[in-house]
Amino acid sequence: MRQSVFIGGNPADRPDLVALMEQVTKGDEQAFGQLYESVAGPAFGVVRAVVRDVAQSEEVTQEVLVEMWRHAADYRPERGSVMNWVLTLAHRRAVDRVRSVAAAAAREERVALRDRLPEFDVTEAEVEARQEREDVLRCLEALTVLQRESITLAYYQGLTYREVAERLSTSLGTVKTRMRDGLIRLRDCLGVAA
């Protein structure tokens, strides 16, 4: 679209836009041409202020003018002037374009980020988890029976020290000591830093 098309001339020289709009609703192409000449420049100015890019601004303005042709019957004179109606259409369409471009850029960024991240290897994670379980079981086997039973009841069944002591018919102090000693031995066996 050439920028010279958007020159609307002196506002005093413009035809009655409401009358033109009425003719456009009846499909009058000549009236649309006159209406186009009157509103294209201001519409382009509004779009250009929001979109900034000249080529996209021209495209959005063209979309607005096509929308004006297709939806001329939606115009209500009691709600405001034809110019304000068209400029509102232009502003909304320009904001939609900016949001659409921003959303597309954000999507592309997410896709690019996802492509840079290494994929989570389920098999590798399962092997590591199985190896950790085997290491814990191996280290548990190296504990005394009382240490192993105390730790198993406390950590795998969720019992308190007192409940472990009752279950094993052992004093609370003995259970606490055995568990502390057993946990130290487990830590050392697993190579976990203190």
Side-chain angles (χ1 to χ4, degrees):
M1 180 181 309
R2 294 172 314 192
Q3 196 160 354
S4 62
V5 172
F6 294 121
I7 298 173
N10 183 347
D13 297 337
R14 292 186 187 154
D16 180 18
L17 297 181
V18 175
L20 287 175
M21 197 62 142
E22 289 173 4
Q23 295 298 345
V24 170
T25 60
K26 298 173 185 172
D28 185 334
E29 291 181 15
Q30 185 177 0
F32 177 73
Q34 291 176 336
L35 187 60
Y36 182 103
E37 288 295 323
S38 296
V39 300
F44 178 76
V46 167
V47 171
R48 179 82 165 89
V50 175
V51 175
R52 307 255 184 221
D53 179 71
V54 175
Q56 283 195 39
S57 296
E58 290 175 350
E59 186 178 314
V60 170
T61 302
Q62 197 64 31
E63 291 170 4
V64 168
L65 297 171
V66 169
E67 185 176 355
M68 179 182 69
W69 168 257
R70 288 183 179 156
H71 299 283
D74 293 344
Y75 168 69
R76 300 286 176 259
E78 64 274 6
R79 291 188 177 172
S81 70
V82 171
M83 185 65 75
N84 284 343
W85 182 70
V86 172
L87 295 181
T88 299
L89 293 176
H91 185 263
R92 287 179 183 161
R93 187 63 72 119
V95 168
D96 288 346
R97 174 63 64 96
V98 169
R99 287 179 180 158
S100 175
V101 168
R107 273 192 308 276
E108 288 175 11
E109 187 175 321
R110 284 192 306 272
V111 167
L113 180 61
R114 186 182 65 220
D115 290 344
R116 284 186 296 220
L117 293 176
E119 294 213 16
F120 178 71
D121 187 348
V122 174
T123 305
E124 182 180 339
E126 288 174 357
V127 168
E128 287 175 3
R130 187 173 341 121
Q131 182 62 48
E132 288 174 4
R133 279 192 303 273
E134 289 173 2
D135 290 346
V136 169
L137 291 173
R138 178 182 47 79
C139 290
L140 277 172
E141 289 299 319
L143 301 178
T144 67
V145 174
L146 186 57
Q147 289 172 336
R148 182 173 47 253
E149 287 177 340
S150 299
I151 290 172
T152 302
L153 290 171
Y155 287 93
Y156 291 108
Q157 293 186 18
L159 301 181
T160 64
Y161 286 129
R162 184 169 308 285
E163 292 169 332
V164 170
E166 289 171 4
R167 178 84 56 94
L168 297 177
S169 301
T170 308
S171 72
L172 182 60
T174 302
V175 167
K176 287 182 177 181
T177 301
R178 296 301 176 252
M179 284 183 65
R180 185 193 70 227
D181 293 343
L183 289 173
I184 291 170
R185 288 182 64 190
L186 272 177
R187 180 193 68 203
D188 293 342
C189 179
L190 293 170
V192 178

